[in-house]
Amino acid sequence: MEAMRGGKFLQKFRLYETRSKFYLVGRDKSRTLWRVLKIDRLESTDLGIQEDPTSYTENECQELLWRIHEGNRLTGGLKFVTKCYGIIGFMKFLGPYYMVIITRRRKVGTICGHDIYSIGKSEMIAIPCPIVCPNVANSRDENRYKRLLCSVDLTKDFFFSYSYNIMRSLQKNINDKNTGHVVYETMFVWNEFLTRAMRNHLKNTDWTVALVHGFFKQSKLSVSGKDFWLTLIARRSRHFAGTRFMKRGVNEKGRVANDVETEQIVFEDTPDDIPSQITSVVQHRGSIPLVWFQETSRLNIRPEITLKSDVDYKATRLHFENLVLRYGNPIVILNLIKTREKKPRESLLRAEFAKAIHYINKGLPDDKRLKFLHMDLSKLSRRKGANVLGLLNKVASDVLELTDLLHCEITTSSKPLDASSGQGPCDIKINDDFCAATMVPLLLQKGVLRTNCIDCLDRTNVAQFAYGLAALGRQLHVLKLTEEPKIDLHDPLADDLMDFYERMGDTLAIQYGGSAAHNKIFCEQRGQWKAATQSQEFLRTLQRYYNNAYTDPEKQDAINVFLGHFQPQQGKPPLWKLDSDQHYNIGRQGTLSEETGSRFIKRSLSDGNILCENSAPVSDRNVGENNTASELLPVQQLDDIREPTDSAPEIYMCETNPCPSTKYSTMPGRHSISQERQSYLKRLGYPELHSSNFLDLDLLSSSGNSCDEEAFESRSSIIHSPLDGISVGSTTTYSEPGHNDEGRDDTDLSRSSSQLSDSRDYSDRFAQWVANGGMLCY
C-alpha cells in the first residue's frame, strides 16, 4: 500500500452493500483517516470502481453511511457485509468479476517497527447483484474455475505488510525509492495480476496488499546474555512458477523454476522495536539454468532428464544478466549435483552447466566473470567421517569475503516524513506516529551466492544453512554482540538457526516438491536415531512421488489461473481440456498458436505467461536488454566431450584467494594435468579442469577431517577417460572433488566402464534406496 496523507496507511476496512453498489470504508491504524471506495454492482461483466477523493473523520464517515442508507431505504438500505484487512484482487473467469479480500490476519513479525502479517482467512465475493448476474455465473465450468482459484490456500505461506515493501530485500528498500505500482510489478508479488485492473484504474495501491509467497519466521534469540531478533524470509518468484516436474530449468526469458530469494535479517532487541543497527544478507536458489525437463510419469519414480539445446546459451546468459541487475557482481555459483553416475542423469546437467559457465565467461571481463564451485554433495555425505557442514561452512566463509553483507545504522527523529521532500532512499517511516528512521549503510552486500542441486530443495537447503550460519557469525560481530565473527557448529545458536532453515526447507519443498525436505544431514548433526531418520526419509519420498504423479497437474493449473498465466475465454477450450502446456500458447482472446499442433512442448518448458507482450510490466520487459557481456565467440561443438575421469582423492578448501580470471596455475602438492592434455582440451573449448575458479582447492589433509570411502563406493566401476591417446598416469591425475582413488591401480583406467561389472552393485544401491529414500528423487 502507498502512504496516504501524512504518511498513513489504510489497514482496516468494513464492507457494506446496497442493491446497486458495494461501499468499502478504510481507515488507518490511528483512526484519524477514513476513505471510501465504491464498486458498481449493476455491471454484469465489467469492473466499475470509483474512489471518493475526500478524506473523512470518523464522525463524517458515519454521517455519510447514514445518508447512503437513507437514500437506498426503498431497495433494502445499506447492509454490513464483513470486516476485512485489504483487497487481494479481482478475478474474472467466464462470467462476473469476483473480489478476493482478507477477512482475518495474523501478525508474524516486525521489521524496524513495520508489522508483517500472514492471512488467517480470505473470502471471494461475486460483484454483480443477483438480478443482473449472467447465467454463466453458475455454469459448470465457472464453478470449476472458482474451485481452482480457491485451491490456492492463501492462509499458508503468504505474507504482506501495509507500510514495508516486504517483496524487496532491506538493501533494495534502502537503495530504491520506487513505491506503488513499481513494487507490485516485481517478481515476488504473487497477486500482481489480480490487482492489475484496480491499480491501473485508480492509479494507486491504497486499497490492495501485495502478497509475497514463500516463508517468514522471526524469533528472539540470545547470545552472551544479549537478546537479538533473527528474521528469515524466503520470497518465491511468480515467474515460471509451478510444481516440481511441471517446471524445470530456464525458459527463453532467462527465468528459472523454483526461483527463491532468501534474506536473513538480524537486529538487536530494543524496548521500542526500533534498533540502532540492523544487518541483512541475501542468497539465492533456483533451478539449473539450462533448458531441460522431465516428463511426469506414474510408472517411473525417477523420470528421465531431457536436455534441449540452447544456441549460445542465450537463456542461461539472460538468467545471469538478471541476477547481476538484481544483486550486482560477483555472482557465485554453488552447484551441488552429482558428478558421476552409473546411469547419467544429474551428471549430464553438471557437464552442460560447466560448459555454459565457461562459454559465458569467455565473453566477460575478468572482474565480471561468473565464479563457480561444483561440489558433489550427495557423494560427500555418504563418506564415513565426512564433515559436510564443516566443509560447506568453509565455502560460505570464503564466499562472504567476496560478497560481504548489509550493515546499517538507524537514527530516529520525531519529524514527520515528507514523501515529496526527496530526502533519500534511507528514510523509512515507522508506524503511523510520524517517526522517521534514517538508515545509514556502513556496509553493502555486493553480488550473491546462487546455490542449486537438481530440485533446489534438500541439498540446497543444507548449503543455504551453512551460508546462513557463517553470515550470522559476521552479523552478530558487526552488531558488537560477539567478539568473534564465527559460530561453531555445535553452538546452541547453530541449533536454533538450523531449526529456522529446516522449517524453511520443509515449507519450500512442500510448495515445489510435494513433501517436506529430506533432512538427513540435519538429523545426523543432531545425533538423531538413524533408523527413525531413514523411515522418515522413505515416507517423504513416497509422499513426494504421489503428489508429483497425481496432484501436481491440478496444482499447476490453479497456480496458472491465480497468476493470470491462463485467462478463460468464452467459446475457447477450458484449461483442463488442454494437453501439455498448450494453454501457455493461447493469447488473450484464447486462440491457439500455429506452433501448437506442429510441436509438442512439455509443461516444464512453458514460459508461464500468455499475455500479450505489451501487457507485461516495463520492468520485466527490460530485463536483459542492457547486456553486460561483450560479443561472444561462435558456439563450439562440445557435445562429444565427456567429463574427465573422476580419479582424485577427496579435497577440502584451504585459505581463500579470489582469482580475477578462470585461468589457473598448478598448486603445490596437487597432481597436475599434463600441458598437452590442457592444450588439447582448450582447443576443443572444454571448461577449465577445476571445480572452482575462485577458491584454491587442495588435497584432503589428515587434520581430523578424514573421509574414508565406504565399502560399496570402493567397488564402483572406473570411468574410462574419453580422450584416447592421452595417458593419465599417477603424476597427471585429474583432481575432481568428491571422489577417492586410493588403492586403485592406474592400469585399470585403460578399461572401459562397460567392461566392468559388480555383482553386488544392485543390492547395495537397493540398500541405499531403502536407507535413504531421498535417493529416489535425485
Side-chain angles (χ1 to χ4, degrees):
M1 288 190 175
E2 292 177 341
M4 304 293 292
R5 299 177 187 179
K8 299 181 180 297
F9 302 86
L10 299 181
Q11 295 194 22
K12 294 186 178 181
F13 306 83
R14 293 177 69 87
L15 182 65
Y16 300 87
E17 67 174 354
T18 65
R19 189 173 182 179
S20 61
K21 284 184 174 62
F22 276 118
Y23 292 89
L24 186 63
V25 179
R27 68 170 176 85
D28 66 338
K29 189 174 182 179
S30 61
R31 304 177 71 96
T32 59
L33 177 69
W34 298 72
R35 299 291 299 276
V36 178
L37 182 73
K38 306 173 186 178
I39 305 174
D40 189 1
R41 300 190 68 199
L42 297 180
E43 181 60 57
S44 60
T45 56
D46 293 331
L47 183 62
I49 303 178
Q50 182 181 357
E51 183 181 33
D52 189 338
T54 306
S55 297
Y56 298 94
T57 64
E58 185 171 1
N59 290 334
E60 290 171 344
C61 190
Q62 289 178 354
E63 225 176 284
L64 174 65
L65 293 176
W66 175 252
R67 290 199 302 268
I68 294 174
H69 174 70
E70 288 296 312
N72 290 271
R73 185 177 292 275
L74 294 178
T75 57
L78 183 70
K79 299 177 182 178
F80 172 74
V81 180
T82 183
K83 66 178 181 180
C84 59
Y85 299 93
I87 297 176
I88 295 174
F90 293 86
M91 172 61 77
K92 175 182 173 64
F93 303 116
L94 301 173
Y97 268 94
Y98 300 89
M99 178 171 59
V100 185
I101 57 177
I102 300 170
T103 56
R104 191 180 302 162
R105 68 182 183 183
R106 295 186 300 265
K107 182 178 174 180
V108 293
T110 302
I111 300 177
C112 292
H114 300 269
D115 293 335
I116 313 298
Y117 298 93
S118 66
I119 300 175
K121 186 179 180 181
S122 62
E123 188 174 342
M124 184 167 64
I125 300 174
I127 297 298
C129 180
I131 61 174
V132 298
C133 201
N135 295 331
V136 73
N138 294 314
S139 68
R140 185 175 180 179
D141 285 352
E142 180 80 1
N143 288 332
R144 187 165 179 177
Y145 280 123
K146 288 164 63 176
R147 289 195 299 271
L148 265 182
L149 183 66
C150 291
S151 68
V152 178
D153 192 350
L154 298 175
T155 65
K156 290 183 178 179
D157 313 326
F158 284 90
F159 49 94
F160 65 95
S161 176
Y162 299 104
S163 55
Y164 180 74
N165 291 325
I166 192 66
M167 76 291 295
R168 300 192 300 199
S169 68
L170 184 62
Q171 180 163 316
K172 185 72 172 177
N173 278 323
I174 291 174
N175 292 333
D176 195 341
K177 296 181 182 180
N178 292 323
T179 58
H181 286 275
V182 175
V183 297
Y184 272 79
E185 293 173 356
T186 59
M187 62 192 299
F188 300 120
V189 178
W190 273 57
N191 59 334
E192 185 278 331
F193 169 73
L194 295 180
T195 61
R196 187 184 302 163
M198 183 178 185
R199 289 183 290 107
N200 290 340
H201 181 75
L202 298 180
K203 307 301 181 184
N204 65 53
T205 59
D206 298 340
W207 302 89
T208 58
V209 296
L211 293 184
V212 178
H213 186 39
F215 176 82
F216 185 97
K217 178 176 171 59
Q218 186 177 75
S219 183
K220 183 191 292 187
L221 302 176
S222 179
V223 59
S224 302
K226 303 172 185 176
D227 293 338
F228 67 93
W229 287 94
L230 173 64
T231 307
L232 189 62
I233 307 172
R235 306 176 180 94
R236 180 177 294 280
S237 172
R238 62 182 170 88
H239 298 315
F240 206 42
T243 56
R244 185 178 176 219
F245 288 140
M246 304 293 177
K247 288 290 179 286
R248 289 297 215 191
V250 65
N251 63 21
E252 64 271 19
K253 294 183 179 180
R255 298 162 179 167
V256 295
N258 199 19
D259 189 328
V260 180
E261 175 185 274
T262 301
E263 182 177 19
Q264 182 174 295
I265 301 175
V266 178
F267 55 89
E268 58 188 334
D269 182 40
T270 56
D272 58 357
D273 292 334
I274 309 299
S276 60
Q277 297 182 83
I278 188 169
T279 68
S280 166
V281 66
V282 172
Q283 55 181 318
H284 174 269
R285 73 169 72 184
S287 188
I288 299 170
L290 301 170
V291 183
W292 63 282
F293 60 92
Q294 288 177 283
E295 182 178 353
T296 306
S297 173
R298 296 183 180 181
L299 301 178
N300 186 0
I301 199 169
R302 303 177 68 193
E304 296 296 325
I305 291 177
T306 302
L307 184 62
K308 186 179 179 182
S309 62
D310 179 19
V311 178
D312 293 343
Y313 298 106
K314 291 180 180 178
T316 307
R317 177 161 41 186
L318 280 175
H319 170 67
F320 287 115
E321 288 173 358
N322 176 258
L323 286 184
V324 172
L325 289 175
R326 287 157 60 184
Y327 305 111
N329 281 307
I331 303 299
V332 183
I333 303 163
L334 178 57
N335 181 26
L336 304 174
I337 61 177
K338 298 176 182 176
T339 302
R340 183 182 64 186
E341 300 168 291
K342 297 230 171 169
K343 183 177 181 181
R345 295 177 68 256
E346 294 185 19
S347 54
L348 294 175
L349 297 177
R350 192 272 190 203
E352 190 68 16
F353 195 16
K355 295 176 189 176
I357 295 172
H358 171 69
Y359 185 85
I360 293 171
N361 273 344
K362 287 194 297 185
L364 295 174
D366 290 351
D367 60 338
K368 295 183 179 180
R369 288 184 175 178
L370 304 173
K371 302 182 185 300
F372 63 87
L373 171 62
H374 299 291
M375 178 186 298
D376 189 343
L377 190 65
S378 179
K379 187 156 193 171
L380 282 173
S381 64
R382 294 198 304 269
R383 293 175 180 268
K384 291 182 179 179
N387 186 1
V388 176
L389 288 176
L391 174 59
L392 288 171
N393 194 260
K394 292 180 181 179
V395 173
S397 298
D398 292 337
V399 174
L400 281 166
E401 291 291 337
L402 297 174
T403 62
D404 223 322
L405 49 81
L406 172 69
H407 177 212
C408 294
E409 276 188 350
I410 302 177
T411 59
T412 58
S413 66
S414 59
K415 183 176 66 174
L417 176 63
D418 184 0
S420 62
S421 64
Q423 292 179 359
C426 299
D427 293 327
I428 295 182
K429 179 190 165 294
I430 302 299
N431 293 328
D432 286 328
D433 57 4
F434 293 163
C435 181
T438 301
M439 290 193 176
V440 180
L442 304 178
L443 286 175
L444 288 174
Q445 180 174 339
K446 49 187 184 297
V448 73
L449 172 65
R450 184 200 193 278
T451 307
N452 71 264
C453 54
I454 194 68
D455 294 320
C456 300
L457 297 177
D458 312 320
R459 288 168 284 181
T460 295
N461 201 60
V462 173
Q464 288 206 328
F465 159 71
Y467 185 78
L469 183 63
L472 180 60
R474 293 174 181 242
Q475 288 176 293
L476 295 176
H477 182 65
V478 298
L479 293 177
K480 299 181 180 179
L481 298 177
T482 59
E483 296 182 357
E484 296 293 332
K486 184 178 181 181
I487 300 175
D488 189 84
L489 278 170
H490 301 287
D491 192 291
L493 201 55
D495 292 336
D496 293 333
L497 186 69
M498 185 182 295
D499 179 66
F500 270 70
Y501 276 87
E502 187 171 7
R503 291 193 183 188
M504 181 186 73
D506 288 342
T507 300
L508 297 180
I510 290 172
Q511 293 168 7
Y512 181 68
S515 77
H518 294 283
N519 295 315
K520 178 183 176 182
I521 294 178
F522 289 161
C523 294
E524 291 177 349
Q525 178 68 20
R526 295 194 190 98
Q528 294 181 5
W529 188 31
K530 187 174 182 179
T533 301
Q534 292 172 347
S535 176
Q536 174 183 279
E537 298 295 286
F538 179 71
L539 291 175
R540 288 182 177 181
T541 295
L542 294 182
Q543 182 184 9
R544 189 173 294 186
Y545 160 71
Y546 175 83
N547 286 322
N548 294 161
Y550 294 94
T551 67
D552 277 1
E554 185 171 347
K555 183 178 178 181
Q556 183 69 57
D557 289 343
I559 292 173
N560 294 336
V561 170
F562 185 87
L563 295 177
H565 295 163
F566 177 85
Q567 299 175 42
Q569 299 287 338
Q570 284 281 8
K572 303 300 178 182
L575 176 62
W576 45 88
K577 289 186 179 180
L578 297 177
D579 295 331
S580 182
D581 257 355
Q582 289 182 10
H583 52 275
Y584 288 111
N585 296 321
I586 300 177
R588 291 186 69 93
Q589 303 303 319
T591 56
L592 289 173
S593 168
E594 294 180 359
E595 297 181 1
T596 302
S598 61
R599 61 188 179 91
F600 183 69
I601 304 177
K602 297 296 178 185
R603 286 179 180 267
S604 55
L605 289 179
S606 67
D607 173 49
N609 195 336
I610 63 169
L611 303 179
C612 297
E613 289 299 320
N614 58 7
S615 67
V618 175
S619 58
D620 290 342
R621 294 201 303 270
N622 291 338
V623 171
E625 291 182 3
N626 298 325
N627 190 350
T628 58
S630 58
E631 186 176 354
L632 301 184
L633 300 174
V635 65
Q636 303 193 27
Q637 300 298 325
L638 305 177
D639 294 338
D640 57 336
I641 304 299
R642 287 183 258 164
E643 284 291 284
T645 180
D646 307 316
S647 55
E650 185 64 66
I651 57 177
Y652 269 62
M653 305 300 154
C654 64
E655 294 296 321
T656 58
N657 186 13
C659 303
S661 70
T662 55
K663 187 175 180 180
Y664 286 84
S665 59
T666 303
M667 295 179 57
R670 170 186 289 171
H671 298 300
S672 61
I673 301 174
S674 66
Q675 293 296 325
E676 179 185 2
R677 183 176 183 182
Q678 289 191 19
S679 176
Y680 177 77
L681 291 174
K682 187 174 182 180
R683 290 198 305 272
L684 293 174
Y686 196 80
E688 286 82 352
L689 299 181
H690 290 273
S691 288
S692 176
N693 66 348
F694 74 100
L695 292 177
D696 287 338
L697 306 180
D698 205 351
L699 296 178
L700 176 64
S701 67
S702 58
S703 58
N705 286 326
S706 176
C707 300
D708 297 329
E709 193 74 67
E710 293 188 21
F712 84 93
E713 197 66 46
S714 64
R715 295 194 300 269
S716 300
S717 59
I718 309 300
I719 299 179
H720 175 56
S721 173
L723 304 176
D724 295 334
I726 299 179
S727 61
V728 184
S730 59
T731 60
T732 58
T733 304
Y734 167 61
S735 297
E736 180 73 13
H739 300 283
N740 194 322
D741 197 36
E742 294 178 2
R744 292 175 178 170
D745 189 351
D746 289 338
T747 58
D748 289 343
L749 294 174
S750 62
R751 292 185 293 169
S752 170
S753 59
S754 61
Q755 295 175 305
L756 298 174
S757 62
D758 187 353
S759 61
R760 297 187 59 187
D761 176 69
Y762 177 79
S763 61
D764 284 329
R765 285 186 175 272
F766 182 79
Q768 286 296 313
W769 173 75
V770 173
N772 309 307
M775 290 291 291
L776 294 173
C777 301
Y778 299 155

